[in-house]
Amino acid sequence: MKYRKLFLSRVAMTALFAAALGSHFAIAANVDLSDYYRVLAKPPGGVTFPLPFTTDGVIGTSGFPPEVRVVGGDIDPPGWMSTTETAIFPVNRLFILFGNGDLAKLIPPYYMQQLGAVVGPNNEPCGTPWSWGGALPKHPLLVTPRSGTTATLTRYFRSSLPTGGCSEDTLSFPIAANAQWTLVDTYTLQAPIRRKASDGSEYDASPLVVLRSGVPWITYYFGYRMGLVGSQSNWLESNLSKVLPAMAQWPAFPSNKGNFELAKLPAPYVEGEIVEYVNFQVSPASALGHYFYASGLSEQALLDDLAAWSRTGKTFKSGGYVSVCRHYFAGTNATTGTHFYSADSTECEQLKGTTGFQYEGQVFRASRPVPSVATAQAVSCPRGTQRLYRFYNNASGKNYANNHRYVIERVYPSEAVTMVAAGWRDEGPQMCVPDAP
C-alpha cells in the first residue's frame, strides 16, 4: 500500500528506553462506556426546565448539551429560545416536541436513565420504561455500562390516554392489564466507533442497538462525554410479517426520515495535561534532541526519574471527542525504541497490522481538524480548541532516529522558525487540543 510505505519511510523510529517505556498498556476485552452513557441534569443552583441542561457530574468548558439536528428529511423542530449558540438545538427538544406525553420523553434525565423510553420513532405509543415512579433510578444496564452488554425488557404499550399522558395508571405507566401491545425489547451496548457530525467533525460514539420483537428496530449513538447525539432507523418493511400479530395496528415504525445527528462538536472538557520531554543522549546527531509525550501522572513521574530525560517546559491540554492512539516501534535493537501518536482512526488501525509496531492503547483524547478545502496552515479546529502542529526530523537515510514533535498553536510561530532552521519538516496541524491555559 502506497500510504503505508510512505508512512514507514518516515516513522521507522528508534530512541526511547524500552525498559522504562515499553508496550505496557493492556487492551481491555470489553470497554467501559461510562463516559458515553451520561445523564443530563439541571446545572447546580440554577436553571429550570425547559432551559438548557448541562452534563451531570462533569466540570468543563461546555455549558450546554451538544447541538443535534434531524438529518433524514423529517421536519426539524425549532430550538429553544436562547442567546447561547450551543443551547439552540439540544437533543432534548426532539423528545419534547415530538413526544406524545410520555414523561420519559419530556424530562431530560429520564431518556438517559430509562433507555426503554427511547427506542422508537416520533409519536410512538405510550409504553413502560425501565422503571417508574419517584426518583427513577438508573437501570442496571447503565450502572457500569460495558460493550457487549445485552439486556431485555418486556414492555407494555397503549395508544393514548384521556389526560396526563403516560402518568394515568396510578401515577405510573401502562401496565399489563391495560396494554394494547406487549413487546420484548433487546438492547446491546457496542464498543465505540468513529462517526462524523453534520459539519464533518469526528467523534467517538457507542452504538446502542435495539431489537423489537426480535427484529432490527433502531440504533442510537451516544457520543463521548455528550450522551445521545444520533439515531439510525434499522427497520425494514420486509420484517413486518415477523412482528405480526403482536404489532398489529402499530402506528409509527422507525423511518430514516427521522434520523438525527450531531451538528457540530461542543467545546471539549479539559481532561489532563500532556508533558513534553526531550532526550539528547539516545540520538545525539538529531538536531534539537528526541521528544516524547507523557500522558499521565505515573508516566510523567517515571520520566522525571530518568536522568537522560528532561521536561522542555512545553505542555498541552488533553481532552476532546476522539481517542489518540499510541504505537511503540522497537527500533534496531532491544533497548531502543520510539512512539508515534495519531488521532486518525484509519492510521491507528493500519499500524496495528504493521510489523514492528506495538499498539499501546488510547492514551489521551483530542479532536480532529474539521475538513476544509483551505490550505493546511488554515485548517479549522472545532470550537474551544487550538491546532496541534507536527514536525518531523527528516531522519530517513541519516544517522539518527526518526522522531516527531508536537507544538500547540499558541507557540507555533516562534517554534516553527527554530524547528525548520534545524532541518525539521513542518507537517502542519494534525490534531486539535483544548484552547486552555
Side-chain angles (χ1 to χ4, degrees):
M1 179 183 292
K2 181 179 179 181
Y3 170 82
R4 181 171 295 180
K5 289 180 179 178
L6 174 63
F7 183 81
L8 292 178
S9 71
R10 296 170 40 209
V11 193
M13 310 173 189
T14 57
L16 279 184
F17 291 106
L21 289 171
S23 182
H24 57 273
F25 283 84
I27 302 173
N30 57 0
V31 181
D32 184 350
L33 302 173
S34 300
D35 284 324
Y36 294 82
Y37 292 87
R38 307 198 70 84
V39 176
L40 295 185
K42 296 179 183 178
V47 204
T48 58
F49 180 82
L51 293 178
F53 288 74
T54 190
T55 307
D56 181 41
V58 178
I59 298 175
T61 58
S62 295
F64 298 94
E67 180 180 332
V68 175
R69 306 295 295 267
V70 174
V71 295
D74 216 338
I75 297 174
D76 194 34
W80 292 336
M81 294 181 63
S82 172
T83 57
T84 303
E85 179 188 5
T86 54
I88 295 176
F89 292 103
V91 70
N92 316 45
R93 87 193 198 289
L94 296 176
F95 298 97
I96 294 167
L97 298 179
F98 281 164
N100 60 2
D102 188 336
L103 286 180
K105 292 181 179 179
L106 287 175
I107 302 178
Y110 290 14
Y111 81 75
M112 294 290 254
Q113 292 174 331
Q114 301 175 230
L115 294 180
V118 189
V119 294
N122 309 331
N123 302 318
E124 180 173 274
C126 204
T128 51
W130 287 109
S131 59
W132 52 80
L136 293 173
K138 194 182 284 189
H139 186 270
L141 183 69
L142 297 184
V143 171
T144 307
R146 303 195 73 87
S147 60
T149 304
T150 296
T152 59
L153 177 71
T154 300
R155 300 186 61 202
Y156 307 108
F157 294 88
R158 60 183 179 184
S159 57
S160 63
L161 294 170
T163 58
C166 288
S167 62
E168 280 299 293
D169 286 351
T170 62
L171 297 179
S172 178
F173 291 85
I175 57 177
N178 296 332
Q180 185 174 348
W181 300 274
T182 299
L183 306 172
V184 176
D185 288 342
T186 302
Y187 310 82
T188 301
L189 308 184
Q190 294 190 349
I193 60 174
R194 188 67 56 89
R195 285 177 58 81
K196 288 187 177 181
S198 296
D199 70 348
S201 55
E202 298 182 18
Y203 67 97
D204 292 342
S206 168
L208 169 67
V209 179
V210 183
L211 302 181
R212 174 158 287 172
S213 295
V215 303
W217 189 253
I218 199 166
T219 297
Y220 285 98
Y221 296 96
F222 287 75
Y224 179 80
R225 285 189 178 270
M226 293 186 287
L228 183 60
V229 293
S231 73
Q232 172 65 54
S233 168
N234 298 328
W235 170 253
L236 298 174
E237 290 297 323
S238 58
N239 283 328
L240 181 60
S241 61
K242 299 178 183 178
V243 297
L244 297 176
M247 297 188 73
Q249 299 181 339
W250 187 263
F253 290 90
S255 167
N256 287 331
K257 290 182 62 178
N259 293 346
F260 60 87
E261 180 57 84
L262 179 68
K264 52 188 174 183
L265 295 172
Y269 298 96
V270 175
E271 299 186 358
E273 188 167 66
I274 309 302
V275 177
E276 180 184 74
Y277 288 80
V278 66
N279 186 316
F280 293 98
Q281 299 178 18
V282 183
S283 190
S286 177
L288 303 182
H290 194 92
Y291 296 91
F292 175 79
Y293 297 85
S295 58
L297 294 178
S298 60
E299 197 167 69
Q300 292 160 17
L302 180 63
L303 268 292
D304 289 337
D305 285 340
L306 298 175
W309 291 93
S310 59
R311 297 187 180 217
T312 67
K314 300 291 192 301
T315 63
F316 59 87
K317 302 297 183 183
S318 64
Y321 298 103
V322 301
S323 58
V324 175
C325 71
R326 190 169 81 186
H327 283 81
Y328 174 75
F329 186 78
T332 56
N333 58 57
T335 60
T336 62
T338 192
H339 294 77
F340 181 76
Y341 306 79
S342 179
D344 185 328
S345 58
T346 300
E347 190 169 71
C348 288
E349 289 303 311
Q350 287 178 330
L351 286 181
K352 286 180 183 179
T354 301
T355 302
F357 284 86
Q358 296 174 288
Y359 175 62
E360 293 192 335
Q362 300 168 353
V363 292
F364 63 91
R365 310 288 306 193
S367 295
R368 291 272 288 157
V370 179
S372 172
V373 296
T375 63
Q377 296 301 106
V379 159
S380 174
C381 278
R383 74 187 79 180
T385 67
Q386 60 176 316
R387 300 174 184 89
L388 185 69
Y389 291 82
R390 188 172 74 193
F391 292 88
Y392 170 58
N393 69 352
N394 282 312
S396 180
K398 299 183 176 67
N399 64 339
Y400 50 85
N402 286 265
N403 190 222
H404 290 82
R405 190 186 183 197
Y406 299 85
V407 174
I408 59 172
E409 183 175 342
R410 190 172 290 116
V411 300
Y412 165 76
S414 59
E415 290 292 332
V417 172
T418 301
M419 300 296 289
V420 172
W424 291 62
R425 182 193 306 161
D426 185 347
E427 297 187 332
Q430 302 295 318
M431 303 182 212
C432 303
V433 295
D435 187 10

